[in-house]
Amino acid sequence: MEQTKLMRLIVQVLESLEIPYMITGSHASAYYGEPRFTMDIDIVADLKEEQIDGFITFFQSDEFYCDKETIRTEIKRRGQFNIIHSTSGLKIDIILTKETTFSKTEFSRRKRESLFIDKKANFTTPEDVIIKKMEFYKEGGSEKHLRDITGILKISGDVLDMNYIAQWADRLGIRVIWDAVLRRLKE
Protein backbone atom coordinates (compact mmCIF):
# COMPACT_ATOMS: atom_id res chain seq x y z
CA MET A 1 0.00 0.00 0.00
CA GLU A 2 1.28 3.47 -0.83
CA GLN A 3 1.34 6.16 1.83
CA THR A 4 -1.19 8.29 -0.10
CA LYS A 5 -3.66 5.38 -0.10
CA LEU A 6 -3.12 4.86 3.61
CA MET A 7 -3.68 8.57 4.28
CA ARG A 8 -6.86 8.49 2.19
CA LEU A 9 -8.05 5.41 4.12
CA ILE A 10 -7.54 6.84 7.60
CA VAL A 11 -9.24 10.12 6.69
CA GLN A 12 -12.16 8.20 5.17
CA VAL A 13 -12.47 6.02 8.29
CA LEU A 14 -12.40 8.95 10.71
CA GLU A 15 -14.86 10.99 8.68
CA SER A 16 -17.27 8.12 8.05
CA LEU A 17 -17.38 7.42 11.81
CA GLU A 18 -17.60 11.16 12.58
CA ILE A 19 -14.49 11.02 14.76
CA PRO A 20 -13.00 14.51 15.13
CA TYR A 21 -9.37 14.48 13.97
CA MET A 22 -6.49 16.47 12.53
CA ILE A 23 -3.40 15.57 10.54
CA THR A 24 -0.29 16.67 12.38
CA GLY A 25 3.42 15.88 12.56
CA SER A 26 5.59 15.59 9.46
CA HIS A 27 2.69 15.57 7.03
CA ALA A 28 1.34 18.83 8.43
CA SER A 29 4.78 20.45 8.53
CA ALA A 30 5.39 19.36 4.92
CA TYR A 31 1.96 20.70 3.92
CA TYR A 32 2.83 24.16 5.26
CA GLY A 33 6.58 24.02 4.72
CA GLU A 34 9.18 21.92 2.98
CA PRO A 35 8.53 18.25 2.27
CA ARG A 36 10.59 15.50 3.86
CA PHE A 37 10.34 11.73 3.82
CA THR A 38 8.50 10.02 6.66
CA MET A 39 7.25 6.47 7.13
CA ASP A 40 4.39 7.38 9.43
CA ILE A 41 1.19 9.38 9.44
CA ASP A 42 0.43 11.29 12.65
CA ILE A 43 -3.22 11.91 13.47
CA VAL A 44 -4.67 13.51 16.60
CA ALA A 45 -8.16 12.09 17.15
CA ASP A 46 -10.95 12.28 19.71
CA LEU A 47 -11.75 8.58 19.49
CA LYS A 48 -14.21 7.31 22.10
CA GLU A 49 -14.38 3.82 23.57
CA GLU A 50 -17.79 3.15 22.01
CA GLN A 51 -16.30 3.83 18.53
CA ILE A 52 -13.55 1.18 18.76
CA ASP A 53 -15.51 -1.70 17.20
CA GLY A 54 -16.53 0.36 14.19
CA PHE A 55 -13.02 1.77 13.86
CA ILE A 56 -11.16 -1.55 13.81
CA THR A 57 -13.45 -3.08 11.17
CA PHE A 58 -11.59 -0.96 8.61
CA PHE A 59 -8.24 -2.48 9.59
CA GLN A 60 -8.52 -6.23 9.09
CA SER A 61 -5.85 -8.38 10.75
CA ASP A 62 -4.74 -9.99 7.47
CA GLU A 63 -3.55 -6.58 6.25
CA PHE A 64 -3.04 -4.44 9.38
CA TYR A 65 -1.82 -4.64 12.92
CA CYS A 66 -4.49 -2.83 14.96
CA ASP A 67 -4.96 -4.12 18.50
CA LYS A 68 -8.36 -3.51 20.07
CA GLU A 69 -7.17 -3.83 23.68
CA THR A 70 -4.28 -1.45 23.11
CA ILE A 71 -6.71 1.09 21.66
CA ARG A 72 -9.02 0.69 24.68
CA THR A 73 -6.10 1.16 27.11
CA GLU A 74 -4.76 4.21 25.26
CA ILE A 75 -8.19 5.86 25.12
CA LYS A 76 -8.44 5.55 28.89
CA ARG A 77 -4.99 7.07 29.45
CA ARG A 78 -5.28 9.53 26.53
CA GLY A 79 -2.06 8.18 25.04
CA GLN A 80 -1.49 6.92 21.51
CA PHE A 81 -1.57 3.71 19.48
CA ASN A 82 -0.50 2.66 16.02
CA ILE A 83 -1.92 0.92 13.03
CA ILE A 84 0.71 -0.81 10.92
CA HIS A 85 0.23 -1.97 7.34
CA SER A 86 1.71 -5.47 7.40
CA THR A 87 3.36 -5.68 3.98
CA SER A 88 4.63 -2.12 3.54
CA GLY A 89 5.52 -1.35 7.16
CA LEU A 90 3.79 2.02 6.87
CA LYS A 91 2.39 3.24 10.15
CA ILE A 92 -0.39 5.49 11.38
CA ASP A 93 0.13 6.95 14.85
CA ILE A 94 -3.20 7.86 16.42
CA ILE A 95 -2.59 10.37 19.21
CA LEU A 96 -5.61 10.76 21.47
CA THR A 97 -6.67 14.29 22.33
CA LYS A 98 -5.29 15.59 25.61
CA GLU A 99 -6.90 17.69 28.33
CA THR A 100 -4.21 20.40 28.46
CA THR A 101 -5.12 23.97 27.63
CA PHE A 102 -2.78 24.01 24.65
CA SER A 103 -4.08 20.70 23.28
CA LYS A 104 -7.68 21.87 23.54
CA THR A 105 -6.80 25.16 21.83
CA GLU A 106 -4.78 23.41 19.10
CA PHE A 107 -7.60 20.94 18.38
CA SER A 108 -10.25 23.67 18.26
CA ARG A 109 -8.17 25.60 15.69
CA ARG A 110 -7.80 22.74 13.16
CA LYS A 111 -8.35 23.78 9.55
CA ARG A 112 -9.95 22.11 6.56
CA GLU A 113 -7.36 21.99 3.77
CA SER A 114 -6.91 20.17 0.47
CA LEU A 115 -5.32 16.79 1.06
CA PHE A 116 -5.64 15.58 -2.52
CA ILE A 117 -7.15 17.17 -5.62
CA ASP A 118 -10.50 15.54 -4.81
CA LYS A 119 -10.32 15.43 -1.00
CA LYS A 120 -10.09 17.83 1.92
CA ALA A 121 -9.03 16.90 5.43
CA ASN A 122 -8.51 18.50 8.83
CA PHE A 123 -4.99 19.76 9.55
CA THR A 124 -3.29 21.26 12.56
CA THR A 125 -2.67 24.96 11.88
CA PRO A 126 0.89 25.89 10.88
CA GLU A 127 1.32 27.89 14.09
CA ASP A 128 0.38 24.88 16.19
CA VAL A 129 2.70 22.61 14.19
CA ILE A 130 5.54 25.01 15.02
CA ILE A 131 4.65 25.02 18.71
CA LYS A 132 4.47 21.22 18.89
CA LYS A 133 7.75 20.89 16.98
CA MET A 134 9.41 23.20 19.52
CA GLU A 135 8.07 21.03 22.35
CA PHE A 136 9.41 17.90 20.63
CA TYR A 137 12.75 19.60 20.14
CA LYS A 138 12.84 20.50 23.85
CA GLU A 139 12.10 16.87 24.75
CA GLY A 140 14.54 15.15 22.41
CA GLY A 141 16.79 17.71 20.74
CA SER A 142 16.26 16.34 17.23
CA GLU A 143 17.33 18.82 14.55
CA LYS A 144 14.58 17.56 12.22
CA HIS A 145 12.05 19.51 14.27
CA LEU A 146 14.00 22.74 13.83
CA ARG A 147 14.33 22.06 10.07
CA ASP A 148 10.56 21.51 9.88
CA ILE A 149 9.92 24.79 11.73
CA THR A 150 12.33 26.68 9.49
CA GLY A 151 10.65 25.20 6.41
CA ILE A 152 7.22 26.34 7.59
CA LEU A 153 8.54 29.83 8.34
CA LYS A 154 10.16 30.08 4.89
CA ILE A 155 7.11 28.86 2.96
CA SER A 156 4.18 30.09 5.09
CA GLY A 157 5.80 32.80 7.20
CA ASP A 158 3.87 35.68 5.69
CA VAL A 159 0.52 34.20 6.82
CA LEU A 160 1.52 33.02 10.29
CA ASP A 161 0.22 34.57 13.48
CA MET A 162 3.62 35.21 15.05
CA ASN A 163 2.07 36.72 18.20
CA TYR A 164 0.10 33.52 18.81
CA ILE A 165 3.30 31.46 18.54
CA ALA A 166 5.22 33.82 20.84
CA GLN A 167 2.43 33.80 23.45
CA TRP A 168 2.31 30.00 23.56
CA ALA A 169 6.12 29.80 23.54
CA ASP A 170 6.05 31.94 26.71
CA ARG A 171 3.25 29.91 28.31
CA LEU A 172 4.90 26.56 27.54
CA GLY A 173 8.41 27.59 28.56
CA ILE A 174 9.89 27.24 25.08
CA ARG A 175 10.54 30.92 24.32
CA VAL A 176 14.31 30.33 24.23
CA ILE A 177 13.79 27.84 21.39
CA TRP A 178 11.46 30.22 19.53
CA ASP A 179 13.97 33.08 19.79
CA ALA A 180 16.77 30.77 18.58
CA VAL A 181 14.65 29.66 15.60
CA LEU A 182 13.96 33.27 14.63
CA ARG A 183 17.68 34.13 14.88
CA ARG A 184 18.55 31.07 12.79
CA LEU A 185 16.08 32.14 10.13
CA LYS A 186 17.81 35.51 9.76
CA GLU A 187 21.24 33.92 9.23
Side-chain angles (χ1 to χ4, degrees):
M1 177 175 281
E2 296 173 7
Q3 197 171 56
T4 55
K5 287 184 180 178
L6 190 58
M7 178 70 86
R8 191 179 285 274
L9 173 63
I10 190 61
V11 168
Q12 174 192 340
V13 169
L14 293 166
E15 291 186 353
S16 69
L17 296 172
E18 298 180 359
I19 299 169
Y21 75 94
M22 63 186 182
I23 298 168
T24 191
S26 299
H27 282 279
S29 65
Y31 185 84
Y32 298 117
E34 296 173 340
R36 76 169 166 89
F37 179 75
T38 181
M39 285 291 289
D40 64 342
I41 297 168
D42 297 319
I43 305 282
V44 174
D46 191 18
L47 180 64
K48 305 291 187 210
E49 197 164 350
E50 60 271 14
Q51 296 170 309
I52 296 173
D53 288 334
F55 182 79
I56 63 170
T57 62
F58 290 90
F59 302 102
Q60 297 300 313
S61 61
D62 62 331
E63 192 175 2
F64 294 96
Y65 166 80
C66 183
D67 185 69
K68 183 177 182 177
E69 289 311 309
T70 299
I71 295 170
R72 186 178 320 286
T73 298
E74 294 305 316
I75 286 174
K76 288 177 182 169
R77 64 180 215 95
R78 304 315 292 168
Q80 70 179 50
F81 64 91
N82 15 63
I83 301 162
I84 302 170
H85 184 253
S86 303
T87 55
S88 69
L90 293 171
K91 182 174 72 156
I92 303 169
D93 290 324
I94 304 290
I95 304 145
L96 285 307
T97 53
K98 308 287 187 265
E99 292 298 316
T100 67
T101 303
F102 175 72
S103 293
K104 289 178 182 179
T105 301
E106 175 191 27
F107 200 68
S108 72
R109 288 170 36 90
R110 63 192 186 277
K111 295 170 54 172
R112 195 92 174 142
E113 302 280 3
S114 292
L115 178 60
F116 302 111
I117 292 172
D118 64 334
K119 181 70 181 154
K120 289 189 173 221
N122 299 327
F123 280 83
T124 307
T125 66
E127 295 89 353
D128 292 321
V129 172
I130 289 171
I131 293 164
K132 287 305 289 182
K133 292 279 181 182
M134 286 191 293
E135 285 188 316
F136 293 144
Y137 178 76
K138 180 181 178 182
E139 290 171 14
S142 175
E143 281 289 314
K144 72 180 176 184
H145 299 302
L146 297 181
R147 284 192 303 274
D148 287 345
I149 293 167
T150 303
I152 295 169
L153 290 167
K154 286 179 182 174
I155 303 297
S156 301
D158 56 336
V159 297
L160 295 176
D161 183 344
M162 302 296 264
N163 288 330
Y164 174 85
I165 297 169
Q167 289 169 358
W168 276 107
D170 288 337
R171 289 177 74 178
L172 297 170
I174 52 177
R175 183 57 182 250
V176 171
I177 298 169
W178 179 234
D179 290 342
V181 166
L182 293 175
R183 278 193 307 276
R184 184 180 190 174
L185 195 62
K186 293 176 184 177
E187 295 173 356

